[in-house]
């Protein structure tokens, strides 16, 4: 049983592989913070919704599905997969080992909302339906979310560039949990939800966090607007 408030457990001294092998389980949520240029831009853009105005520790969200017959843990996620010759954009299944690189992913978290067996099954079935239906990854929707971040009223509204059959990472996780009527931030439209919003969910849950970056100082609102503007320009010119 969980308490009435989120229970956050900070850990250190673990590698990514050990951390994920210890806490990953079907129906739990994974968060990561990458160190490459694209994920750092996503993290900086979330400065409007962090407590200190600095970049978020998180750039991506995914769903653990458990260990398969091959002995590996697998995840469902909506992502841009640039590793292979055939570019994959959207809902897909991948081995969890892609997040074992400590340098590429210095920040990790596992969130457990205490789902029972039936709730876990419904959440995972929702995710598998997205994979089977080839739900795609929409860069336009990310732009809509970035545009809305400075405004709480815009975040409540439908994503400006919402597209049928499209979900980016955190919106995909939210979509899966809607199968059990669980909304991480009820006042935010699901397609304006960020990984940081999931990390800040206020309903009871346990979150194990592995954070390897020093905590930065507070940023001014003007600096956040400047960085958000740079992020938008970079995305539009990509």
């Amino acid at each position: 049983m969980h308490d009435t408030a989120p229970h956050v457990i900070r850990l250190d001294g673990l590698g990514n592989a050990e951390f994920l092998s210890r806490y990953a389980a079907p129906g739990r949520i994974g968060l990561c913070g990458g160190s490459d240029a694209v994920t750092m831009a996503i993290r900086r853009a979330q400065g409007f919704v962090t407590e200190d105005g600095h970049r978020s520790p998180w750039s991506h969200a995914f769903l653990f599905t458990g260990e398969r017959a091959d002995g590996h843990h697998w995840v469902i996620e909506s992502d841009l997969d640039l590793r292979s010759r055939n570019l994959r954009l959207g809902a897909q299944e991948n081995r969890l080992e892609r997040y074992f690189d400590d340098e590429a992913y210095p920040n990790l978290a596992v969130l457990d909302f205490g789902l029972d067996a039936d709730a876990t099954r419904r959440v995972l079935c929702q995710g598998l339906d997205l994979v089977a239906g080839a739900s795609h990854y929409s860069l336009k929707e990310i732009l809509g979310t970035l545009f809305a971040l400075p405004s709480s009223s815009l975040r409540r509204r439908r994503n400006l560039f919402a597209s049928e059959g499209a979900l980016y990472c955190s919106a995909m996780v939210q979509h899966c949990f809607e199968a059990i009527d669980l909304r991480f931030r009820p006042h935010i439209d699901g397609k304006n939800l960020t990984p940081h919003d999931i990390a800040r969910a206020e309903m009871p849950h346990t979150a194990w966090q592995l954070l390897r970056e020093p905590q930065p100082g507070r940023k001014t609102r003007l600096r956040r607007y400047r960085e958000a503007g740079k992020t938008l320009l970079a995305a539009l010119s990509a």
Side-chain angles (χ1 to χ4, degrees), residues 90-107:
Q92 56 194 267
E93 292 186 278
N94 292 301
R95 285 180 175 176
L96 181 57
E97 64 189 35
R98 73 181 302 190
Y99 298 108
F100 284 3
D101 188 328
D102 297 2
E103 292 186 5
Y105 301 101
N107 298 331

Side-chain angles (χ1 to χ4, degrees), residues 48-49 147-157 187-189 192 221 225:
F48 285 104
V49 297
F147 183 80
L149 279 178
S151 170
S152 58
S153 62
L154 282 178
R155 299 190 76 206
R156 295 189 185 99
R157 302 175 188 173
H187 60 289
I188 299 173
D189 180 80
N192 281 326
R221 191 169 182 83
Y225 272 111

Side-chain angles (χ1 to χ4, degrees), residues 21-58:
S21 297
R22 183 180 297 184
Y23 298 109
R28 292 181 180 178
I29 296 168
L31 299 174
C32 68
S35 58
D36 62 86
V38 173
T39 54
M40 287 298 291
I42 293 172
R43 293 172 57 189
R44 285 194 296 269
Q46 293 174 89
F48 285 104
V49 297
T50 62
E51 295 79 358
D52 58 8
H54 202 273
R55 65 174 180 262
S56 170
W58 316 116

Side-chain angles (χ1 to χ4, degrees), residues 78-95:
S78 185
D79 198 12
L80 301 171
D81 186 358
L82 306 176
R83 298 170 300 162
S84 58
R85 293 180 180 178
N86 297 319
L87 176 66
R88 294 189 300 168
L89 298 88
Q92 56 194 267
E93 292 186 278
N94 292 301
R95 285 180 175 176

